Amino acid sequence: IKIDNTAPGVKSIKALSAEGYYKAGASVLLMMEFTEDVTVSNAENLAVNFAHKNGSNTVKAASPNVTGSKYVLFTYEVKAGENAAVLTYNSISSTSVVVKDNAGNSLTSWSPVTAPSFAGIVVDTTTPAAPSFGSWTPDRVIFGEGTSFELSTTEKDIESQEYSLDNGQNWTPYTGKVT
């Protein structure tokens, strides 16, 4: 006979998605882990709140109910206008959510045992500005055979770069080194 008088707790909340930059339309998979197997009723009302989000700052659980598991999954869908240098946990919302372990003990605290950290998850929905090369006098620049140039940027994960020699009328893909 096993006597269980210990209430379940929230062990951790972590990202299952890889570290990196997430743009509008991307998804970040999150997981809440409990200290033991639990049954979660009304899980659709369970949400993780982030500090960077405006208005509705919640990411709701992916399933309405969970039975006999330590895990609840969440999918954060990045929307235009959301930006965070680091995805930052704020709190848990749990209106009408009931969590019980196999012995019937109820969850008494939503505070995670391990502080949630999403270091390495960056939400960036801001379109980068076109680069500026400053002013130059065309009669001092000679384009001819053997002319070369390199582009540099502070942006990470650049998908492609283009350049224009006619004030933006026509764009050419840049295939050289980007530093």
Side-chain angles (χ1 to χ4, degrees), residues 10 12-17 27-34 40 42-50 58-63 66 70-77 87 89 91-94 97 110 118:
V10 177
S12 64
I13 303 170
K14 54 183 131 188
L16 297 179
S17 297
S27 297
V28 179
L29 185 60
L30 308 170
M31 179 184 71
M32 178 183 292
E33 181 180 3
F34 292 93
V40 182
N42 301 317
E44 69 274 7
N45 295 327
L46 183 59
V48 177
N49 302 308
F50 292 101
T58 62
V59 178
K60 296 224 173 199
S63 170
V66 175
K70 292 171 92 173
Y71 309 101
V72 176
L73 298 178
F74 301 79
T75 302
Y76 167 29
E77 302 287 338
L87 192 59
Y89 167 82
S91 63
I92 296 171
S93 296
S94 59
V97 176
W110 284 100
F118 301 102

Side-chain angles (χ1 to χ4, degrees), residues 77-122:
E77 302 287 338
V78 178
K79 294 179 182 48
E82 297 176 351
N83 294 290
V86 173
L87 192 59
T88 305
Y89 167 82
N90 189 24
S91 63
I92 296 171
S93 296
S94 59
T95 305
S96 301
V97 176
V98 177
V99 178
K100 292 188 177 195
D101 66 13
N102 292 333
N105 299 308
S106 295
L107 179 79
T108 57
S109 172
W110 284 100
S111 296
V113 173
T114 303
S117 173
F118 301 102
I121 303 285
V122 179

